[in-house]
Amino acid sequence: MSDNSFGADTIITRAEMTTMFIRAYELVHGKVNSGILELPYKDNSQLPSWAKESVLKATSLKKINGFTDGTFGLLIQAKYSDGITVISGLWTLSK
């Protein structure tokens, strides 16, 4: 967290979850080249600058997707199912 605390009880957003996923993925597989320059989501204006590169990379890997309404839900609370998708995505990409 920005105050150098861990924030173990903090609810995370989908942008934060995506950033953690990409960091873990790159530890295992090396740097990812996103291959895309612009995100296809309607809520791009809400994207924190620190998360843009991670969301670009995750979108190019097709392991974290947006919603059917065309948004990514960058600032909404990540759900348990989002976490399972990310963890299983990391697992299958690691095989």
Side-chain angles (χ1 to χ4, degrees):
M1 309 300 291
S2 62
D3 65 354
N4 292 325
S5 66
F6 181 66
D9 294 328
T10 304
I11 295 171
I12 64 170
T13 65
R14 285 175 49 89
E16 292 167 325
M17 179 191 66
T18 301
T19 300
M20 288 187 279
F21 167 75
I22 290 300
R23 287 179 182 170
Y25 180 87
E26 289 184 333
L27 280 174
V28 174
H29 299 284
K31 291 289 181 189
V32 173
N33 181 359
S34 72
I36 58 175
L37 300 176
E38 199 61 41
L39 290 166
Y41 308 114
K42 293 178 182 177
D43 55 351
N44 286 344
S45 63
Q46 297 176 359
L47 179 63
S49 59
W50 53 262
K52 184 175 182 177
E53 184 177 350
S54 294
V55 175
L56 282 166
K57 290 175 179 181
T59 299
S60 71
L61 289 172
K62 299 181 181 176
K63 288 297 177 183
I64 301 176
N65 300 310
F67 297 108
T68 57
D69 68 354
T71 63
F72 189 82
L74 297 156
L75 301 179
I76 66 171
Q77 176 181 334
K79 297 181 179 164
Y80 182 79
S81 60
D82 295 325
I84 295 298
T85 300
V86 168
I87 291 169
S88 67
L90 186 59
W91 176 258
T92 56
L93 287 171
S94 297
K95 286 185 167 184

